[in-house]
Amino acid sequence: MIKVIENPADCEMRSVIRFLNARNIKPADIHHQLCEVYGDDAISDGMVRRWVRKFNEGRISVHDEQHTGRPSLINDDLVGSADCHSDNTLTEIDNATSASRIVSPA
């Protein structure tokens, strides 16, 4: 009986896909094996096919690429402040971050 691995990291499954693809295993068979080991946490058949295509096109990394989008509320100054004042309460940190939030009209 196969032991199910719970809560796998995305890069873990992508590494398995990359490995099995290098061994010329078909995407449908890769997905079947992922489902056996990761159960409901396995990525979809379509995503397996997408990653196989990316690896066949020369992609090496199994990690997410950085995306552009909404900027983080956390900046270097805030992190430095938290490091210097480790006794900050969550309320103080929330107050510091709420001052930098931008609210756009609906």
Side-chain angles (χ1 to χ4, degrees):
M1 183 171 168
I2 296 175
K3 180 180 177 182
V4 174
I5 298 174
E6 296 181 2
N7 303 318
D10 291 338
C11 62
E12 178 180 346
M13 283 190 276
R14 293 173 193 158
S15 296
V16 172
I17 293 168
R18 184 172 178 226
F19 174 80
L20 293 175
N21 183 55
R23 299 198 67 197
N24 294 317
I25 306 296
K26 294 177 184 177
D29 294 332
I30 293 172
H31 181 254
H32 179 75
Q33 290 185 41
L34 289 171
C35 288
E36 282 183 331
V37 175
Y38 297 111
D40 292 337
D41 290 329
I43 63 175
S44 69
D45 183 61
M47 287 302 294
V48 170
R49 292 176 190 281
R50 180 179 293 172
W51 279 101
V52 165
R53 190 169 43 252
K54 287 180 182 185
F55 292 133
N56 287 340
E57 291 170 352
R59 181 168 175 148
I60 297 171
S61 176
V62 296
H63 299 285
D64 288 326
E65 294 175 349
Q66 275 195 320
H67 297 279
T68 58
R70 185 176 181 173
S72 173
L73 296 175
I74 305 298
N75 57 35
D76 292 338
D77 294 333
L78 184 59
V79 171
S81 174
D83 288 343
C84 292
H85 303 95
S86 60
D87 59 343
N88 283 348
T89 64
L90 290 177
T91 304
E92 290 171 328
I93 294 171
D94 185 52
N95 290 340
T97 59
S98 62
S100 64
R101 291 185 185 139
I102 299 172
V103 178
S104 59

mmCIF file of all heavy atoms in Angstrom, residues 16-39:
data_model
loop_
_atom_site.group_PDB
_atom_site.id
_atom_site.type_symbol
_atom_site.label_atom_id
_atom_site.label_comp_id
_atom_site.label_asym_id
_atom_site.label_seq_id
_atom_site.Cartn_x
_atom_site.Cartn_y
_atom_site.Cartn_z
ATOM 1 N N VAL A 16 9.094 16.075 -9.187
ATOM 2 C CA VAL A 16 8.682 14.723 -9.586
ATOM 3 C C VAL A 16 8.317 14.714 -11.066
ATOM 4 O O VAL A 16 8.708 13.816 -11.815
ATOM 5 C CB VAL A 16 7.501 14.231 -8.716
ATOM 6 C CG1 VAL A 16 6.948 12.919 -9.243
ATOM 7 C CG2 VAL A 16 7.926 14.091 -7.261
ATOM 8 N N ILE A 17 7.585 15.741 -11.499
ATOM 9 C CA ILE A 17 7.191 15.842 -12.908
ATOM 10 C C ILE A 17 8.442 15.923 -13.783
ATOM 11 O O ILE A 17 8.540 15.231 -14.800
ATOM 12 C CB ILE A 17 6.278 17.064 -13.139
ATOM 13 C CG1 ILE A 17 4.944 16.873 -12.433
ATOM 14 C CG2 ILE A 17 6.071 17.306 -14.636
ATOM 15 C CD1 ILE A 17 4.092 18.130 -12.352
ATOM 16 N N ARG A 18 9.388 16.758 -13.387
ATOM 17 C CA ARG A 18 10.616 16.918 -14.165
ATOM 18 C C ARG A 18 11.380 15.604 -14.250
ATOM 19 O O ARG A 18 11.859 15.208 -15.321
ATOM 20 C CB ARG A 18 11.484 18.005 -13.529
ATOM 21 C CG ARG A 18 12.720 18.309 -14.314
ATOM 22 C CD ARG A 18 13.450 19.520 -13.758
ATOM 23 N NE ARG A 18 14.654 19.730 -14.536
ATOM 24 C CZ ARG A 18 15.838 19.974 -14.017
ATOM 25 N NH1 ARG A 18 15.992 20.096 -12.722
ATOM 26 N NH2 ARG A 18 16.877 20.134 -14.783
ATOM 27 N N PHE A 19 11.478 14.906 -13.129
ATOM 28 C CA PHE A 19 12.186 13.628 -13.087
ATOM 29 C C PHE A 19 11.511 12.584 -13.976
ATOM 30 O O PHE A 19 12.150 11.944 -14.811
ATOM 31 C CB PHE A 19 12.257 13.127 -11.644
ATOM 32 C CG PHE A 19 12.832 11.753 -11.502
ATOM 33 C CD1 PHE A 19 14.208 11.553 -11.542
ATOM 34 C CD2 PHE A 19 12.006 10.648 -11.339
ATOM 35 C CE1 PHE A 19 14.742 10.285 -11.413
ATOM 36 C CE2 PHE A 19 12.535 9.379 -11.210
ATOM 37 C CZ PHE A 19 13.905 9.189 -11.257
ATOM 38 N N LEU A 20 10.201 12.411 -13.805
ATOM 39 C CA LEU A 20 9.496 11.393 -14.588
ATOM 40 C C LEU A 20 9.457 11.757 -16.068
ATOM 41 O O LEU A 20 9.534 10.875 -16.931
ATOM 42 C CB LEU A 20 8.080 11.190 -14.031
ATOM 43 C CG LEU A 20 8.016 10.565 -12.636
ATOM 44 C CD1 LEU A 20 6.581 10.526 -12.128
ATOM 45 C CD2 LEU A 20 8.636 9.176 -12.626
ATOM 46 N N ASN A 21 9.355 13.042 -16.377
ATOM 47 C CA ASN A 21 9.387 13.477 -17.771
ATOM 48 C C ASN A 21 10.738 13.155 -18.396
ATOM 49 O O ASN A 21 10.805 12.732 -19.552
ATOM 50 C CB ASN A 21 9.095 14.977 -17.864
ATOM 51 C CG ASN A 21 9.054 15.467 -19.287
ATOM 52 O OD1 ASN A 21 8.308 14.957 -20.106
ATOM 53 N ND2 ASN A 21 9.860 16.478 -19.581
ATOM 54 N N ALA A 22 11.811 13.320 -17.638
ATOM 55 C CA ALA A 22 13.148 12.986 -18.138
ATOM 56 C C ALA A 22 13.274 11.495 -18.427
ATOM 57 O O ALA A 22 14.073 11.088 -19.275
ATOM 58 C CB ALA A 22 14.209 13.419 -17.134
ATOM 59 N N ARG A 23 12.463 10.708 -17.760
ATOM 60 C CA ARG A 23 12.464 9.254 -17.994
ATOM 61 C C ARG A 23 11.456 8.862 -19.066
ATOM 62 O O ARG A 23 11.139 7.687 -19.244
ATOM 63 C CB ARG A 23 12.149 8.518 -16.695
ATOM 64 C CG ARG A 23 13.217 8.839 -15.628
ATOM 65 C CD ARG A 23 13.245 7.884 -14.516
ATOM 66 N NE ARG A 23 13.696 6.586 -15.038
ATOM 67 C CZ ARG A 23 13.521 5.448 -14.391
ATOM 68 N NH1 ARG A 23 12.932 5.439 -13.223
ATOM 69 N NH2 ARG A 23 13.938 4.322 -14.911
ATOM 70 N N ASN A 24 10.915 9.870 -19.780
ATOM 71 C CA ASN A 24 9.964 9.679 -20.891
ATOM 72 C C ASN A 24 8.648 9.043 -20.462
ATOM 73 O O ASN A 24 8.037 8.285 -21.216
ATOM 74 C CB ASN A 24 10.605 8.877 -22.032
ATOM 75 C CG ASN A 24 11.733 9.633 -22.684
ATOM 76 O OD1 ASN A 24 11.622 10.824 -22.940
ATOM 77 N ND2 ASN A 24 12.837 8.946 -22.937
ATOM 78 N N ILE A 25 8.211 9.351 -19.251
ATOM 79 C CA ILE A 25 6.897 8.904 -18.784
ATOM 80 C C ILE A 25 5.861 9.879 -19.337
ATOM 81 O O ILE A 25 6.069 11.092 -19.324
ATOM 82 C CB ILE A 25 6.844 8.883 -17.239
ATOM 83 C CG1 ILE A 25 7.997 8.045 -16.657
ATOM 84 C CG2 ILE A 25 5.490 8.406 -16.739
ATOM 85 C CD1 ILE A 25 7.971 6.592 -17.009
ATOM 86 N N LYS A 26 4.756 9.380 -19.839
ATOM 87 C CA LYS A 26 3.713 10.214 -20.423
ATOM 88 C C LYS A 26 3.043 11.068 -19.345
ATOM 89 O O LYS A 26 2.901 10.619 -18.193
ATOM 90 C CB LYS A 26 2.665 9.349 -21.107
ATOM 91 C CG LYS A 26 3.191 8.601 -22.300
ATOM 92 C CD LYS A 26 2.127 7.715 -22.900
ATOM 93 C CE LYS A 26 2.699 6.886 -24.038
ATOM 94 N NZ LYS A 26 1.689 5.973 -24.587
ATOM 95 N N PRO A 27 2.606 12.285 -19.714
ATOM 96 C CA PRO A 27 1.964 13.167 -18.734
ATOM 97 C C PRO A 27 0.787 12.529 -17.995
ATOM 98 O O PRO A 27 0.646 12.725 -16.788
ATOM 99 C CB PRO A 27 1.501 14.358 -19.579
ATOM 100 C CG PRO A 27 2.463 14.393 -20.717
ATOM 101 C CD PRO A 27 2.777 12.951 -21.007
ATOM 102 N N ALA A 28 -0.031 11.753 -18.679
ATOM 103 C CA ALA A 28 -1.173 11.102 -18.019
ATOM 104 C C ALA A 28 -0.688 10.117 -16.953
ATOM 105 O O ALA A 28 -1.286 10.012 -15.876
ATOM 106 C CB ALA A 28 -2.053 10.392 -19.044
ATOM 107 N N ASP A 29 0.396 9.405 -17.258
ATOM 108 C CA ASP A 29 0.955 8.455 -16.285
ATOM 109 C C ASP A 29 1.618 9.190 -15.114
ATOM 110 O O ASP A 29 1.560 8.728 -13.974
ATOM 111 C CB ASP A 29 1.952 7.515 -16.960
ATOM 112 C CG ASP A 29 1.279 6.603 -17.987
ATOM 113 O OD1 ASP A 29 0.071 6.305 -17.815
ATOM 114 O OD2 ASP A 29 1.947 6.212 -18.956
ATOM 115 N N ILE A 30 2.242 10.330 -15.413
ATOM 116 C CA ILE A 30 2.824 11.144 -14.344
ATOM 117 C C ILE A 30 1.716 11.595 -13.406
ATOM 118 O O ILE A 30 1.838 11.490 -12.174
ATOM 119 C CB ILE A 30 3.579 12.366 -14.915
ATOM 120 C CG1 ILE A 30 4.812 11.910 -15.702
ATOM 121 C CG2 ILE A 30 3.973 13.329 -13.794
ATOM 122 C CD1 ILE A 30 5.517 13.028 -16.454
ATOM 123 N N HIS A 31 0.616 12.085 -13.973
ATOM 124 C CA HIS A 31 -0.501 12.544 -13.146
ATOM 125 C C HIS A 31 -1.054 11.402 -12.306
ATOM 126 O O HIS A 31 -1.360 11.576 -11.118
ATOM 127 C CB HIS A 31 -1.604 13.149 -14.013
ATOM 128 C CG HIS A 31 -2.750 13.659 -13.219
ATOM 129 N ND1 HIS A 31 -3.957 13.007 -13.173
ATOM 130 C CD2 HIS A 31 -2.868 14.741 -12.415
ATOM 131 C CE1 HIS A 31 -4.773 13.681 -12.373
ATOM 132 N NE2 HIS A 31 -4.134 14.730 -11.907
ATOM 133 N N HIS A 32 -1.173 10.242 -12.888
ATOM 134 C CA HIS A 32 -1.678 9.070 -12.153
ATOM 135 C C HIS A 32 -0.775 8.755 -10.958
ATOM 136 O O HIS A 32 -1.267 8.505 -9.843
ATOM 137 C CB HIS A 32 -1.772 7.865 -13.088
ATOM 138 C CG HIS A 32 -2.246 6.625 -12.416
ATOM 139 N ND1 HIS A 32 -3.560 6.423 -12.055
ATOM 140 C CD2 HIS A 32 -1.563 5.525 -12.003
ATOM 141 C CE1 HIS A 32 -3.674 5.255 -11.449
ATOM 142 N NE2 HIS A 32 -2.479 4.678 -11.412
ATOM 143 N N GLN A 33 0.533 8.811 -11.161
ATOM 144 C CA GLN A 33 1.467 8.527 -10.071
ATOM 145 C C GLN A 33 1.398 9.605 -8.992
ATOM 146 O O GLN A 33 1.465 9.299 -7.793
ATOM 147 C CB GLN A 33 2.888 8.397 -10.610
ATOM 148 C CG GLN A 33 3.088 7.131 -11.428
ATOM 149 C CD GLN A 33 4.522 6.933 -11.858
ATOM 150 O OE1 GLN A 33 5.436 7.169 -11.065
ATOM 151 N NE2 GLN A 33 4.730 6.500 -13.087
ATOM 152 N N LEU A 34 1.264 10.875 -9.411
ATOM 153 C CA LEU A 34 1.122 11.955 -8.435
ATOM 154 C C LEU A 34 -0.131 11.750 -7.583
ATOM 155 O O LEU A 34 -0.096 11.948 -6.368
ATOM 156 C CB LEU A 34 1.068 13.320 -9.135
ATOM 157 C CG LEU A 34 2.368 13.823 -9.759
ATOM 158 C CD1 LEU A 34 2.102 15.065 -10.583
ATOM 159 C CD2 LEU A 34 3.412 14.102 -8.696
ATOM 160 N N CYS A 35 -1.218 11.360 -8.215
ATOM 161 C CA CYS A 35 -2.474 11.136 -7.485
ATOM 162 C C CYS A 35 -2.332 9.989 -6.490
ATOM 163 O O CYS A 35 -2.894 10.041 -5.397
ATOM 164 C CB CYS A 35 -3.621 10.860 -8.450
ATOM 165 S SG CYS A 35 -4.146 12.308 -9.370
ATOM 166 N N GLU A 36 -1.592 8.957 -6.869
ATOM 167 C CA GLU A 36 -1.375 7.831 -5.961
ATOM 168 C C GLU A 36 -0.638 8.266 -4.698
ATOM 169 O O GLU A 36 -0.970 7.827 -3.600
ATOM 170 C CB GLU A 36 -0.553 6.734 -6.647
ATOM 171 C CG GLU A 36 -1.328 5.869 -7.597
ATOM 172 C CD GLU A 36 -0.464 4.756 -8.174
ATOM 173 O OE1 GLU A 36 0.767 4.929 -8.301
ATOM 174 O OE2 GLU A 36 -1.029 3.707 -8.508
ATOM 175 N N VAL A 37 0.349 9.118 -4.854
ATOM 176 C CA VAL A 37 1.202 9.485 -3.727
ATOM 177 C C VAL A 37 0.676 10.694 -2.961
ATOM 178 O O VAL A 37 0.745 10.740 -1.745
ATOM 179 C CB VAL A 37 2.651 9.741 -4.209
ATOM 180 C CG1 VAL A 37 3.523 10.240 -3.072
ATOM 181 C CG2 VAL A 37 3.232 8.479 -4.813
ATOM 182 N N TYR A 38 0.127 11.696 -3.683
ATOM 183 C CA TYR A 38 -0.302 12.932 -3.039
ATOM 184 C C TYR A 38 -1.813 13.022 -2.831
ATOM 185 O O TYR A 38 -2.293 13.968 -2.217
ATOM 186 C CB TYR A 38 0.183 14.142 -3.845
ATOM 187 C CG TYR A 38 1.689 14.229 -3.911
ATOM 188 C CD1 TYR A 38 2.372 14.022 -5.098
ATOM 189 C CD2 TYR A 38 2.430 14.517 -2.768
ATOM 190 C CE1 TYR A 38 3.758 14.102 -5.147
ATOM 191 C CE2 TYR A 38 3.810 14.592 -2.812
ATOM 192 C CZ TYR A 38 4.463 14.382 -4.014
ATOM 193 O OH TYR A 38 5.830 14.467 -4.054
ATOM 194 N N GLY A 39 -2.558 12.056 -3.329
ATOM 195 C CA GLY A 39 -4.003 12.037 -3.120
ATOM 196 C C GLY A 39 -4.674 13.292 -3.642
ATOM 197 O O GLY A 39 -4.388 13.753 -4.750
#
